[in-house]
Amino acid sequence: MSTLIIWVMGAGLLLVNIMLRARILRLEARLKELSSPQEQLAFLRQQAAHKDKIPAIKALRKQYPELSLVEANNLWQQI
């Protein structure tokens, strides 16, 4: 009987995990839609006028958390 309860609880937790993961993926996709590379470049150009490379990249990643460090560095190299 206890084995059955453990299996049912495990299946329930698995379903919750799948639902939450799907929601996170939808939210990440929406976040990427809202911030275009042109907006990111404009923000970085604004930051670059006042700061050095590292603080500007940190500010860019704080403004756009979905960017990786490599992507932010590539954007820096474009300006």
Side-chain angles (χ1 to χ4, degrees):
M1 184 66 179
S2 64
T3 305
L4 180 63
I5 293 172
I6 291 172
W7 276 96
V8 170
M9 288 183 67
L13 289 173
L14 180 63
L15 288 175
V16 169
N17 186 3
I18 291 169
M19 290 183 339
L20 289 175
R21 187 172 296 184
R23 184 173 180 193
I24 288 171
L25 289 174
R26 283 193 310 267
L27 287 172
E28 286 176 346
R30 174 138 168 104
L31 184 61
K32 283 208 179 253
E33 288 174 4
L34 291 176
S35 61
S36 69
Q38 290 80 20
E39 292 174 359
Q40 296 166 355
L41 271 173
F43 180 81
L44 188 56
R45 283 189 183 110
Q46 177 188 15
Q47 294 297 315
H50 305 294
K51 299 179 181 177
D52 291 332
K53 177 181 179 178
I54 294 173
I57 288 177
K58 284 183 180 180
L60 178 70
R61 291 192 69 215
K62 188 174 184 180
Q63 179 72 21
Y64 300 100
E66 72 274 8
L67 280 179
S68 70
L69 184 57
V70 173
E71 292 169 334
N73 190 32
N74 289 340
L75 285 173
W76 174 266
Q77 291 173 356
Q78 287 179 14
I79 61 169

